[in-house]
Amino acid sequence: MLVKNPVQNPQPAIQTLYDSDCYLVVHLHMALEPARVDGIVAPALSRNGFEIVDKRACKEVYLDGLWAERFHQCIMAWQEKTPTQDEVEDTLAKYTALATQMPIRMH
């Protein structure tokens, strides 16, 4: 049986991790409840990602999958040894360099 919407009761969470004059970093987490199809329970899914916005360049990049894991490791390292604002923003600049799309517009 094909299920049009196998996801039930999504629980989104959005948390601002960093906000400066130059950058904004947001963690997005979506925990999805298991779905039942013909009495079979499909596994629960979870999606994590990070959105990094370069306010000066009006660019944003969304990190998912391996990129998100790598960035999460960076955040964990920052918790061990608190970086300076310049160190944080140098790292964020490397990630926003991945953004190749049209610049975003601030309203």
Side-chain angles (χ1 to χ4, degrees):
M1 174 181 188
L2 181 62
V3 178
K4 292 182 181 177
N5 186 7
V7 178
Q8 299 173 8
N9 302 322
Q11 302 165 355
I14 300 171
Q15 180 180 14
T16 300
L17 301 179
Y18 184 78
D19 191 3
S20 72
D21 291 340
C22 300
Y23 291 96
L24 173 69
V25 178
V26 177
H27 178 229
L28 300 115
H29 175 75
M30 176 73 78
L32 305 176
E33 297 291 326
R36 289 190 176 273
V37 180
D38 290 338
I40 299 171
V41 178
L45 301 174
S46 179
R47 298 286 300 200
N48 284 295
F50 298 92
E51 183 174 22
I52 303 172
V53 177
D54 182 338
K55 296 177 183 179
R56 295 169 300 172
C58 295
K59 288 185 182 179
E60 67 87 28
V61 64
Y62 180 76
L63 305 176
D64 194 8
L66 292 175
W67 282 105
E69 288 179 31
R70 184 175 177 188
F71 186 68
H72 185 257
Q73 290 171 353
C74 186
I75 291 171
M76 298 304 288
W78 287 343
Q79 290 179 352
E80 294 288 322
K81 179 185 176 280
T82 305
T84 65
Q85 183 173 353
D86 288 338
E87 290 172 328
V88 170
E89 296 199 355
D90 287 346
T91 301
L92 296 177
K94 292 175 186 173
Y95 281 100
T96 56
L98 298 170
T100 57
Q101 66 217 36
M102 298 293 290
I104 59 172
R105 294 179 189 230
M106 303 295 221
H107 297 277

